[in-house]
Amino acid sequence: MVQTLRRQGRSVLDLGGGEPDFATPGHIVAEATGALERGQTHYTPSRGVPALLEAIGEKLRVENGITVTPATDVVVTPSAKHALFISLMTILDPGDELVVPTPSWVSYSSMAHLVGARPVAAPLKAADGFRITRRALEAAVTDRTKAILVNTPNNPTGRVLTAEEAHAVVSVAVEHDLFIVADEIYEKIVFDGAEHVSPATLPGAAERTLTVNGFSKAYAMTGWRLGWVSGPTDVMREVLKAQEHTVSCAAGFVQAGGVAALTRGADAVQEMVQEYGARRKLIVDGLNTLPGITCAAPEGAFYAFADIRGTRLPDAEAFAAWMLAEAGVALTPGTAFGPGGEGHVRLSFATSREVIGQAVDQIGAALAAGA
Ligand code: PLP
């Protein structure tokens, strides 16, 4: 839609995407370029190159408190998306149910359908700050449930799972003997001292949790397609088969870039997170000055999930359509993220301060003009 309008000569401020606008840090690019020049242009082991597996094992140990044996418990994948897909393909049989607290990222339910399973939403309440509770999970669990999928920091709500919420997830999973899939791709993008907790570290969780992560968001590497999944050895053996017989491996020179990302240049990530922090303030403060809109500051990721129920267009889809047509601002209706997203819209702040400031002004003008 944005492209169509742009082709028609309309100027559109795009706050709909989920892609960092920064260049991939230079030391990562240099490492991958060097690897290409050194001839790392062939298949690698399906699981991933040893240097990257080791770097991931070390990162999980030091940063997340997760202990793995890299040679058996990690699979490097071409993207977190593929890591999620082959994880779900491995643990879900046709007819199984996957409980997903919502609002949630759009691809989880499609992936569940693609493997013949059924996504079951556990809607969270805006009034409760989209907090995950035992009650919300229990209401969604049936005797067909095989797994619970959680995403922290969350796209689209910006919530970071608290230790208490993580305990709720793990205790329900243990009680009903379920897998947990934890999508932690935004873990490095957190604000105001929010602390990322990996569910796999909780008692009883390691043997049932698949932890997914990737390079797209923290390192501005969306186009590189690189991620990984770690988990119990027996499950990872099966995940590896799915990788072997679908994509074989992630590209070798891309994996070389991944090693550089994990082992060097933490400052580059910090600089990007600092800038996201400034943009977050700009967008949240700006939105909260607009009549009928309230927006809680996200604790993590790079999305503002604004409550528009006080405007004259409380329907999220109508609001988004109006803003695209009248304000020239692309944003995403909360309903795209499943039950619980009604009355909300998601605005990405992975874009420049200038675009954010202009978008807030244009939304304000459209509201004043009659939305
Ligand atoms: N998980 C979440 C919550 C996301 O928002 C995204 C991308 O938007 C992904 C996973 C996919 O990441 P990747 O680019 O590694 O496939």
Side-chain angles (χ1 to χ4, degrees):
M1 191 60 176
V2 172
Q3 297 312 328
T4 310
L5 287 171
R6 282 181 176 158
R7 269 196 300 275
Q8 290 166 0
R10 296 271 310 275
S11 96
V12 179
L13 301 171
D14 190 1
L15 274 63
E19 170 155 26
D21 57 326
F22 299 108
T24 302
H27 67 288
I28 302 174
V29 174
E31 191 61 41
T33 309
L36 265 175
E37 284 165 354
R38 288 191 299 276
Q40 291 181 22
T41 53
H42 299 96
Y43 293 135
T44 76
S46 272
R47 188 183 290 286
V49 297
L52 183 52
L53 291 168
E54 285 302 323
I56 291 169
E58 185 64 5
K59 177 250 178 288
L60 287 171
R61 186 180 71 76
V62 174
E63 295 182 0
N64 303 87
I66 298 175
T67 310
V68 293
T69 305
T72 55
D73 305 344
V74 178
V75 174
V76 172
T77 55
S79 79
K81 212 173 207 174
H82 192 67
L84 284 160
F85 183 68
I86 59 178
S87 298
L88 296 182
M89 186 182 243
T90 299
I91 61 175
L92 300 176
D93 290 321
D96 285 348
E97 293 177 355
L98 172 72
V99 169
V100 185
T102 59
S104 69
W105 183 47
V106 294
S107 289
Y108 303 134
S109 58
S110 300
M111 286 183 191
H113 284 302
L114 282 169
V115 303
R118 207 167 80 81
V120 176
L124 306 176
K125 294 195 176 76
D128 202 17
F130 299 109
R131 207 166 47 88
I132 295 182
T133 59
R134 257 195 87 90
R135 200 172 169 168
L137 296 174
E138 290 283 6
V141 169
T142 72
D143 56 4
R144 304 304 309 258
T145 307
K146 191 63 100 41
I148 303 173
L149 193 159
V150 290
N151 169 216
T152 179
N154 185 274
N155 172 9
T157 66
R159 278 294 321 283
V160 172
L161 208 68
T162 60
E164 191 191 346
E165 290 172 281
H167 273 289
V169 173
V170 173
S171 68
V172 171
V174 168
E175 202 167 299
H176 297 273
D177 193 19
L178 308 174
F179 285 108
I180 298 166
V181 180
D183 177 353
E184 306 186 5
I185 194 160
Y186 292 100
E187 72 158 305
K188 289 192 182 290
I189 306 173
V190 288
F191 309 108
D192 294 344
E195 246 182 71
H196 171 75
V197 177
S198 293
T201 56
L202 272 65
E207 63 266 35
R208 62 181 69 250
T209 303
L210 300 185
T211 303
V212 172
N213 213 322
F215 295 78
S216 287
K217 313 295 178 176
Y219 304 97
M221 290 173 68
T222 44
W224 295 59
R225 314 313 294 134
L226 191 63
W228 76 85
V229 50
S230 64
T233 309
D234 53 340
V235 182
M236 295 311 297
R237 192 178 302 123
E238 301 305 311
V239 169
L240 180 62
K241 286 183 195 162
Q243 162 110 326
E244 266 169 358
H245 299 295
T246 54
V247 292
S248 297
C249 60
F253 53 91
V254 166
Q255 294 185 58
V259 175
L262 291 186
T263 57
R264 293 190 272 122
D267 290 0
V269 175
Q270 271 326 304
E271 273 169 34
M272 289 189 271
V273 173
Q274 218 169 351
E275 176 59 24
Y276 288 132
R279 296 169 177 187
R280 163 186 176 258
K281 181 163 168 40
L282 192 65
I283 198 162
V284 169
D285 289 354
L287 289 170
N288 281 323
T289 63
L290 303 181
I293 298 186
T294 51
C295 186
E299 296 155 333
F302 41 56
Y303 307 102
F305 202 54
D307 185 339
I308 52 149
R309 286 172 295 179
T311 69
R312 270 179 276 170
L313 269 181
D315 177 88
E317 279 171 41
F319 186 95
W322 171 270
M323 285 307 156
L324 186 58
E326 300 301 322
V329 176
L331 38 78
T332 314
T335 42
F337 307 101
E342 303 83 4
H344 289 72
V345 293
R346 189 195 77 172
L347 303 96
S348 165
F349 50 91
T351 189
S352 71
R353 297 191 207 190
E354 191 191 356
V355 166
I356 291 168
Q358 218 176 322
V360 170
D361 288 349
Q362 290 179 203
I363 293 170
L367 287 171

